[in-house]
Short mmCIF file of all heavy atoms in Angstrom, two decimals:
data_model
loop_
_atom_site.label_atom_id
_atom_site.label_comp_id
_atom_site.label_asym_id
_atom_site.label_seq_id
_atom_site.Cartn_x
_atom_site.Cartn_y
_atom_site.Cartn_z
N PRO B 71 156.83 81.24 152.18
CA PRO B 71 155.55 81.22 152.89
C PRO B 71 154.85 79.86 152.71
O PRO B 71 154.86 79.32 151.60
CB PRO B 71 154.75 82.34 152.21
CG PRO B 71 155.76 83.20 151.52
CD PRO B 71 156.89 82.28 151.15
N PRO B 72 154.28 79.30 153.79
CA PRO B 72 153.69 77.95 153.70
C PRO B 72 152.72 77.78 152.53
O PRO B 72 152.75 76.76 151.84
CB PRO B 72 152.97 77.82 155.05
CG PRO B 72 153.78 78.64 155.98
CD PRO B 72 154.26 79.81 155.17
N GLU B 73 151.90 78.78 152.27
CA GLU B 73 150.91 78.64 151.20
C GLU B 73 151.54 78.73 149.80
O GLU B 73 150.88 78.43 148.80
CB GLU B 73 149.77 79.66 151.37
CG GLU B 73 150.15 81.12 151.21
CD GLU B 73 150.81 81.70 152.47
OE1 GLU B 73 151.06 80.96 153.46
OE2 GLU B 73 151.11 82.90 152.44
N ARG B 74 152.84 79.13 149.73
CA ARG B 74 153.55 79.18 148.45
C ARG B 74 154.34 77.90 148.19
O ARG B 74 154.85 77.69 147.09
CB ARG B 74 154.53 80.36 148.40
CG ARG B 74 153.94 81.75 148.63
CD ARG B 74 153.17 82.28 147.47
NE ARG B 74 153.92 82.29 146.22
CZ ARG B 74 153.37 82.47 145.02
NH1 ARG B 74 152.07 82.64 144.91
NH2 ARG B 74 154.09 82.48 143.94
N MET B 75 154.47 77.06 149.21
CA MET B 75 155.22 75.80 149.07
C MET B 75 154.70 74.97 147.90
O MET B 75 155.45 74.30 147.22
CB MET B 75 155.10 74.98 150.36
CG MET B 75 156.03 75.41 151.47
SD MET B 75 157.71 74.83 151.15
CE MET B 75 158.57 75.58 152.54
N VAL B 76 153.37 75.00 147.71
CA VAL B 76 152.75 74.22 146.64
C VAL B 76 153.41 74.50 145.29
O VAL B 76 153.72 73.56 144.53
CB VAL B 76 151.21 74.47 146.61
CG1 VAL B 76 150.86 75.94 146.50
CG2 VAL B 76 150.54 73.69 145.50
N TYR B 77 153.68 75.77 144.98
CA TYR B 77 154.27 76.10 143.67
C TYR B 77 155.74 75.69 143.59
O TYR B 77 156.19 75.11 142.61
CB TYR B 77 154.11 77.60 143.40
CG TYR B 77 152.69 78.07 143.54
CD1 TYR B 77 152.29 78.81 144.64
CD2 TYR B 77 151.73 77.73 142.59
CE1 TYR B 77 150.97 79.23 144.80
CE2 TYR B 77 150.41 78.12 142.74
CZ TYR B 77 150.04 78.87 143.84
OH TYR B 77 148.74 79.27 144.00
N ALA B 78 156.46 76.03 144.67
CA ALA B 78 157.90 75.74 144.68
C ALA B 78 158.15 74.24 144.58
O ALA B 78 159.04 73.78 143.85
CB ALA B 78 158.51 76.30 145.97
N LEU B 79 157.34 73.47 145.29
CA LEU B 79 157.54 72.03 145.34
C LEU B 79 157.11 71.34 144.04
O LEU B 79 157.79 70.44 143.54
CB LEU B 79 156.76 71.48 146.54
CG LEU B 79 157.14 70.15 147.13
CD1 LEU B 79 158.64 70.01 147.33
CD2 LEU B 79 156.41 69.95 148.46
N ASN B 80 155.98 71.79 143.46
CA ASN B 80 155.52 71.19 142.21
C ASN B 80 156.54 71.34 141.08
O ASN B 80 156.61 70.50 140.19
CB ASN B 80 154.17 71.77 141.79
CG ASN B 80 153.01 71.10 142.52
OD1 ASN B 80 153.13 69.97 143.00
ND2 ASN B 80 151.88 71.79 142.60
N GLN B 81 157.34 72.41 141.14
CA GLN B 81 158.36 72.58 140.10
C GLN B 81 159.46 71.54 140.18
O GLN B 81 160.14 71.26 139.21
CB GLN B 81 158.96 73.98 140.19
CG GLN B 81 158.02 75.05 139.65
CD GLN B 81 158.64 76.42 139.66
OE1 GLN B 81 159.62 76.65 140.37
NE2 GLN B 81 158.09 77.32 138.87
N LYS B 82 159.64 70.97 141.38
CA LYS B 82 160.70 69.98 141.56
C LYS B 82 160.22 68.54 141.48
O LYS B 82 161.02 67.62 141.25
CB LYS B 82 161.37 70.20 142.93
CG LYS B 82 162.07 71.54 143.06
CD LYS B 82 163.02 71.57 144.22
CE LYS B 82 163.71 72.93 144.34
NZ LYS B 82 164.60 73.24 143.21
N LEU B 83 158.92 68.32 141.68
CA LEU B 83 158.40 66.96 141.74
C LEU B 83 158.21 66.34 140.36
O LEU B 83 157.96 67.05 139.37
CB LEU B 83 157.05 66.95 142.48
CG LEU B 83 157.12 67.13 144.00
CD1 LEU B 83 155.75 67.44 144.56
CD2 LEU B 83 157.70 65.88 144.66
N PRO B 84 158.30 65.00 140.26
CA PRO B 84 157.99 64.33 138.99
C PRO B 84 156.49 64.47 138.71
O PRO B 84 155.72 64.78 139.62
CB PRO B 84 158.37 62.87 139.27
CG PRO B 84 158.27 62.72 140.75
CD PRO B 84 158.63 64.05 141.34
N GLU B 85 156.07 64.21 137.46
CA GLU B 85 154.69 64.51 137.09
C GLU B 85 153.66 63.57 137.73
O GLU B 85 152.48 63.83 137.67
CB GLU B 85 154.53 64.54 135.57
CG GLU B 85 154.83 63.20 134.91
CD GLU B 85 154.49 63.19 133.42
OE1 GLU B 85 154.27 64.26 132.84
OE2 GLU B 85 154.44 62.08 132.86
N ASP B 86 154.12 62.48 138.37
CA ASP B 86 153.15 61.58 139.00
C ASP B 86 152.92 61.91 140.48
O ASP B 86 152.18 61.19 141.16
CB ASP B 86 153.51 60.10 138.79
CG ASP B 86 154.93 59.76 139.19
OD1 ASP B 86 155.62 60.64 139.72
OD2 ASP B 86 155.34 58.61 138.95
N ILE B 87 153.53 62.97 140.98
CA ILE B 87 153.24 63.47 142.33
C ILE B 87 152.95 64.97 142.22
O ILE B 87 153.75 65.71 141.66
CB ILE B 87 154.42 63.26 143.31
CG1 ILE B 87 154.81 61.77 143.39
CG2 ILE B 87 154.07 63.80 144.71
CD1 ILE B 87 155.97 61.49 144.34
N VAL B 88 151.79 65.39 142.73
CA VAL B 88 151.39 66.79 142.63
C VAL B 88 150.92 67.28 144.00
O VAL B 88 150.11 66.62 144.65
CB VAL B 88 150.23 66.96 141.61
CG1 VAL B 88 149.69 68.40 141.62
CG2 VAL B 88 150.68 66.58 140.20
N ILE B 89 151.44 68.41 144.45
CA ILE B 89 150.93 69.05 145.66
C ILE B 89 149.70 69.87 145.26
O ILE B 89 149.77 70.70 144.35
CB ILE B 89 151.98 69.97 146.32
CG1 ILE B 89 153.30 69.22 146.52
CG2 ILE B 89 151.45 70.53 147.64
CD1 ILE B 89 153.21 68.00 147.40
N VAL B 90 148.57 69.61 145.92
CA VAL B 90 147.32 70.27 145.56
C VAL B 90 147.19 71.58 146.33
O VAL B 90 146.65 72.56 145.83
CB VAL B 90 146.12 69.35 145.89
CG1 VAL B 90 144.81 70.01 145.52
CG2 VAL B 90 146.27 68.01 145.16
N LYS B 91 147.72 71.61 147.56
CA LYS B 91 147.57 72.79 148.42
C LYS B 91 148.60 72.69 149.53
O LYS B 91 148.99 71.58 149.93
CB LYS B 91 146.16 72.80 149.00
CG LYS B 91 145.79 74.02 149.83
CD LYS B 91 144.39 73.84 150.42
CE LYS B 91 144.15 74.83 151.55
NZ LYS B 91 142.81 74.64 152.14
N SER B 92 149.05 73.83 150.03
CA SER B 92 149.93 73.84 151.21
C SER B 92 149.46 74.94 152.15
O SER B 92 149.03 76.00 151.69
CB SER B 92 151.39 74.04 150.81
OG SER B 92 151.55 75.25 150.09
N ASP B 93 149.54 74.69 153.45
CA ASP B 93 149.17 75.73 154.42
C ASP B 93 149.90 75.50 155.73
O ASP B 93 150.56 74.47 155.92
CB ASP B 93 147.64 75.80 154.62
CG ASP B 93 146.99 74.47 154.96
OD1 ASP B 93 147.73 73.50 155.29
OD2 ASP B 93 145.76 74.36 154.92
N GLU B 94 149.80 76.46 156.64
CA GLU B 94 150.46 76.32 157.93
C GLU B 94 149.49 75.78 158.96
O GLU B 94 148.30 76.12 158.93
CB GLU B 94 151.00 77.70 158.40
CG GLU B 94 151.88 77.56 159.63
CD GLU B 94 152.57 78.87 160.03
OE1 GLU B 94 152.46 79.87 159.28
OE2 GLU B 94 153.22 78.89 161.10
N VAL B 95 150.00 74.90 159.83
CA VAL B 95 149.17 74.37 160.93
C VAL B 95 149.93 74.59 162.24
O VAL B 95 151.14 74.82 162.22
CB VAL B 95 148.85 72.86 160.72
CG1 VAL B 95 147.83 72.66 159.62
CG2 VAL B 95 150.11 72.05 160.46
N PRO B 96 149.23 74.49 163.39
CA PRO B 96 149.92 74.65 164.67
C PRO B 96 151.03 73.60 164.84
O PRO B 96 150.92 72.50 164.31
CB PRO B 96 148.81 74.45 165.71
CG PRO B 96 147.54 74.75 164.97
CD PRO B 96 147.77 74.34 163.55
N GLN B 97 152.05 73.95 165.60
CA GLN B 97 153.22 73.08 165.82
C GLN B 97 152.86 71.67 166.27
O GLN B 97 153.54 70.71 165.95
CB GLN B 97 154.14 73.72 166.88
CG GLN B 97 155.17 74.66 166.29
CD GLN B 97 156.24 73.91 165.52
OE1 GLN B 97 156.79 72.93 165.99
NE2 GLN B 97 156.51 74.36 164.30
N ASN B 98 151.76 71.53 167.03
CA ASN B 98 151.42 70.21 167.56
C ASN B 98 150.35 69.48 166.73
O ASN B 98 149.85 68.45 167.14
CB ASN B 98 150.95 70.33 169.02
CG ASN B 98 149.66 71.15 169.10
OD1 ASN B 98 149.28 71.79 168.12
ND2 ASN B 98 149.02 71.14 170.25
N TRP B 99 150.04 70.01 165.57
CA TRP B 99 149.00 69.39 164.75
C TRP B 99 149.58 68.15 164.06
O TRP B 99 150.61 68.20 163.40
CB TRP B 99 148.49 70.38 163.69
CG TRP B 99 147.23 69.92 163.01
CD1 TRP B 99 145.95 70.17 163.40
CD2 TRP B 99 147.13 69.13 161.82
NE1 TRP B 99 145.05 69.58 162.53
CE2 TRP B 99 145.75 68.93 161.56
CE3 TRP B 99 148.06 68.56 160.95
CZ2 TRP B 99 145.29 68.20 160.46
CZ3 TRP B 99 147.60 67.82 159.87
CH2 TRP B 99 146.22 67.64 159.63
N HIS B 100 148.91 67.01 164.22
CA HIS B 100 149.39 65.75 163.66
C HIS B 100 148.34 65.20 162.67
O HIS B 100 147.17 65.12 163.00
CB HIS B 100 149.62 64.73 164.79
CG HIS B 100 150.40 63.52 164.34
ND1 HIS B 100 149.86 62.57 163.50
CD2 HIS B 100 151.67 63.12 164.60
CE1 HIS B 100 150.77 61.63 163.27
NE2 HIS B 100 151.88 61.94 163.93
N PRO B 101 148.76 64.80 161.46
CA PRO B 101 147.78 64.40 160.43
C PRO B 101 147.04 63.10 160.74
O PRO B 101 146.00 62.84 160.12
CB PRO B 101 148.64 64.27 159.17
CG PRO B 101 150.03 64.09 159.64
CD PRO B 101 150.14 64.81 160.95
N ARG B 102 147.54 62.29 161.67
CA ARG B 102 146.84 61.03 161.97
C ARG B 102 145.99 61.11 163.23
O ARG B 102 145.01 60.40 163.35
CB ARG B 102 147.84 59.88 162.13
CG ARG B 102 148.46 59.43 160.83
CD ARG B 102 149.02 58.03 160.89
NE ARG B 102 150.16 57.88 161.77
CZ ARG B 102 151.42 58.22 161.47
NH1 ARG B 102 151.69 58.74 160.29
NH2 ARG B 102 152.40 58.03 162.33
N TYR B 103 146.38 61.95 164.17
CA TYR B 103 145.68 61.97 165.45
C TYR B 103 144.80 63.20 165.58
O TYR B 103 145.16 64.19 166.21
CB TYR B 103 146.70 61.89 166.61
CG TYR B 103 147.66 60.74 166.41
CD1 TYR B 103 149.03 60.94 166.34
CD2 TYR B 103 147.17 59.43 166.24
CE1 TYR B 103 149.90 59.88 166.12
CE2 TYR B 103 148.04 58.37 166.02
CZ TYR B 103 149.40 58.60 165.96
OH TYR B 103 150.26 57.55 165.74
N GLN B 104 143.66 63.12 164.93
CA GLN B 104 142.69 64.21 164.99
C GLN B 104 141.33 63.57 165.23
O GLN B 104 140.92 62.68 164.49
CB GLN B 104 142.68 65.00 163.67
CG GLN B 104 143.98 65.70 163.34
CD GLN B 104 144.30 66.82 164.31
OE1 GLN B 104 143.41 67.53 164.77
NE2 GLN B 104 145.59 66.97 164.65
N GLU B 105 140.64 64.06 166.24
CA GLU B 105 139.35 63.49 166.65
C GLU B 105 138.38 63.35 165.47
O GLU B 105 137.73 62.32 165.29
CB GLU B 105 138.76 64.38 167.75
CG GLU B 105 137.50 63.85 168.41
CD GLU B 105 137.74 62.53 169.13
OE1 GLU B 105 138.85 62.32 169.71
OE2 GLU B 105 136.83 61.69 169.12
N ALA B 106 138.28 64.41 164.68
CA ALA B 106 137.24 64.46 163.64
C ALA B 106 137.66 63.81 162.32
O ALA B 106 136.91 63.84 161.35
CB ALA B 106 136.86 65.92 163.39
N LEU B 107 138.85 63.20 162.29
CA LEU B 107 139.38 62.65 161.04
C LEU B 107 138.43 61.66 160.36
O LEU B 107 137.92 60.73 160.98
CB LEU B 107 140.74 61.98 161.32
CG LEU B 107 141.52 61.45 160.13
CD1 LEU B 107 143.02 61.59 160.39
CD2 LEU B 107 141.20 59.97 159.86
N ARG B 108 138.21 61.88 159.07
CA ARG B 108 137.45 60.95 158.22
C ARG B 108 138.24 60.75 156.93
O ARG B 108 138.69 61.73 156.34
CB ARG B 108 136.08 61.51 157.83
CG ARG B 108 135.10 61.71 158.97
CD ARG B 108 134.51 60.38 159.43
NE ARG B 108 133.60 60.58 160.56
CZ ARG B 108 134.01 60.71 161.84
NH1 ARG B 108 135.29 60.69 162.13
NH2 ARG B 108 133.12 60.88 162.79
N LYS B 109 138.36 59.48 156.51
CA LYS B 109 139.03 59.20 155.23
C LYS B 109 138.01 58.68 154.23
O LYS B 109 137.13 57.90 154.60
CB LYS B 109 140.11 58.15 155.42
CG LYS B 109 141.32 58.63 156.19
CD LYS B 109 142.37 57.52 156.29
CE LYS B 109 143.54 57.98 157.15
NZ LYS B 109 144.50 56.88 157.39
N THR B 110 138.17 59.06 152.98
CA THR B 110 137.31 58.54 151.93
C THR B 110 138.17 57.87 150.86
O THR B 110 139.11 58.49 150.33
CB THR B 110 136.47 59.65 151.28
OG1 THR B 110 135.63 60.23 152.28
CG2 THR B 110 135.61 59.12 150.15
N TYR B 111 137.86 56.62 150.60
CA TYR B 111 138.53 55.87 149.54
C TYR B 111 137.53 55.55 148.43
O TYR B 111 136.34 55.40 148.68
CB TYR B 111 139.04 54.53 150.08
CG TYR B 111 140.31 54.61 150.88
CD1 TYR B 111 140.26 54.73 152.27
CD2 TYR B 111 141.56 54.52 150.27
CE1 TYR B 111 141.41 54.78 153.03
CE2 TYR B 111 142.72 54.57 151.03
CZ TYR B 111 142.65 54.70 152.40
OH TYR B 111 143.79 54.75 153.15
N GLU B 112 138.04 55.41 147.21
CA GLU B 112 137.23 54.87 146.12
C GLU B 112 137.93 53.65 145.55
O GLU B 112 139.14 53.67 145.33
CB GLU B 112 137.03 55.90 145.01
CG GLU B 112 136.02 56.98 145.38
CD GLU B 112 135.76 57.98 144.28
OE1 GLU B 112 136.41 57.89 143.21
OE2 GLU B 112 134.92 58.86 144.48
N TYR B 113 137.14 52.61 145.30
CA TYR B 113 137.69 51.45 144.60
C TYR B 113 136.98 51.36 143.25
O TYR B 113 135.75 51.24 143.18
CB TYR B 113 137.50 50.15 145.40
CG TYR B 113 138.40 49.09 144.81
CD1 TYR B 113 139.71 48.93 145.27
CD2 TYR B 113 137.99 48.31 143.73
CE1 TYR B 113 140.57 48.03 144.68
CE2 TYR B 113 138.84 47.41 143.13
CZ TYR B 113 140.13 47.27 143.62
OH TYR B 113 140.99 46.38 143.02
N HIS B 114 137.76 51.42 142.17
CA HIS B 114 137.20 51.48 140.82
C HIS B 114 137.24 50.12 140.10
O HIS B 114 138.28 49.46 140.09
CB HIS B 114 137.96 52.51 139.98
CG HIS B 114 137.85 53.89 140.52
ND1 HIS B 114 136.76 54.69 140.28
CD2 HIS B 114 138.65 54.62 141.33
CE1 HIS B 114 136.90 55.84 140.91
NE2 HIS B 114 138.05 55.82 141.56
N ILE B 115 136.11 49.77 139.52
CA ILE B 115 135.98 48.50 138.79
C ILE B 115 135.50 48.80 137.38
O ILE B 115 134.55 49.57 137.20
CB ILE B 115 134.95 47.58 139.50
CG1 ILE B 115 135.40 47.25 140.92
CG2 ILE B 115 134.69 46.31 138.68
CD1 ILE B 115 134.29 46.70 141.80
N HIS B 116 136.17 48.24 136.38
CA HIS B 116 135.67 48.32 135.01
C HIS B 116 135.05 46.98 134.66
O HIS B 116 135.74 45.97 134.56
CB HIS B 116 136.80 48.68 134.04
CG HIS B 116 136.30 48.92 132.65
ND1 HIS B 116 135.44 49.96 132.33
CD2 HIS B 116 136.51 48.25 131.50
CE1 HIS B 116 135.16 49.90 131.05
NE2 HIS B 116 135.79 48.88 130.51
N ASN B 117 133.73 46.98 134.52
CA ASN B 117 132.98 45.72 134.36
C ASN B 117 132.50 45.57 132.92
O ASN B 117 131.44 46.09 132.55
CB ASN B 117 131.80 45.72 135.34
CG ASN B 117 131.06 44.40 135.36
OD1 ASN B 117 131.63 43.36 135.09
ND2 ASN B 117 129.79 44.44 135.69
N SER B 118 133.32 44.90 132.11
CA SER B 118 132.98 44.73 130.69
C SER B 118 133.63 43.46 130.18
O SER B 118 134.62 42.99 130.75
CB SER B 118 133.47 45.93 129.89
OG SER B 118 134.87 45.90 129.79
N PRO B 119 133.08 42.88 129.11
CA PRO B 119 133.63 41.62 128.61
C PRO B 119 135.13 41.69 128.30
O PRO B 119 135.87 40.75 128.58
CB PRO B 119 132.81 41.36 127.33
CG PRO B 119 131.54 42.12 127.53
CD PRO B 119 131.90 43.33 128.34
N VAL B 120 135.59 42.79 127.70
CA VAL B 120 137.03 42.94 127.45
C VAL B 120 137.57 44.15 128.21
O VAL B 120 136.85 45.10 128.44
CB VAL B 120 137.36 43.11 125.93
CG1 VAL B 120 137.14 41.82 125.19
CG2 VAL B 120 136.57 44.24 125.32
N PRO B 121 138.86 44.11 128.59
CA PRO B 121 139.41 45.24 129.32
C PRO B 121 139.52 46.49 128.46
O PRO B 121 139.56 46.40 127.23
CB PRO B 121 140.81 44.75 129.74
CG PRO B 121 141.09 43.54 128.93
CD PRO B 121 139.80 42.99 128.43
N ASN B 122 139.54 47.64 129.08
CA ASN B 122 139.76 48.91 128.40
C ASN B 122 141.18 49.35 128.73
O ASN B 122 141.49 49.65 129.87
CB ASN B 122 138.73 49.93 128.90
CG ASN B 122 138.92 51.30 128.27
OD1 ASN B 122 140.03 51.69 127.90
ND2 ASN B 122 137.84 52.04 128.14
N PRO B 123 142.07 49.38 127.72
CA PRO B 123 143.49 49.67 128.02
C PRO B 123 143.70 51.06 128.62
O PRO B 123 144.72 51.29 129.27
CB PRO B 123 144.19 49.53 126.67
CG PRO B 123 143.11 49.64 125.65
CD PRO B 123 141.86 49.15 126.28
N LEU B 124 142.75 51.99 128.41
CA LEU B 124 142.91 53.34 128.97
C LEU B 124 142.51 53.39 130.44
O LEU B 124 142.70 54.40 131.11
CB LEU B 124 142.08 54.35 128.18
CG LEU B 124 142.32 54.41 126.68
CD1 LEU B 124 141.61 55.61 126.07
CD2 LEU B 124 143.81 54.47 126.36
#
Side-chain angles (χ1 to χ4, degrees):
Chain B
E73 66 280 4
R74 303 285 305 166
M75 279 283 176
V76 55
Y77 307 106
L79 201 46
N80 278 337
Q81 285 183 342
K82 296 196 180 294
L83 286 166
E85 63 173 13
D86 53 5
I87 303 180
V88 173
I89 308 300
V90 180
K91 185 183 164 181
S92 58
D93 52 13
E94 189 173 353
V95 286
Q97 271 290 312
N98 64 348
W99 193 90
H100 193 290
R102 288 201 293 280
Y103 309 122
Q104 297 294 323
E105 187 62 35
L107 185 147
R108 295 284 178 278
K109 290 182 184 174
T110 299
Y111 282 93
E112 285 183 357
Y113 196 89
H114 297 279
I115 299 163
H116 186 64
N117 187 27
S118 71
V120 289
N122 178 331
L124 305 190

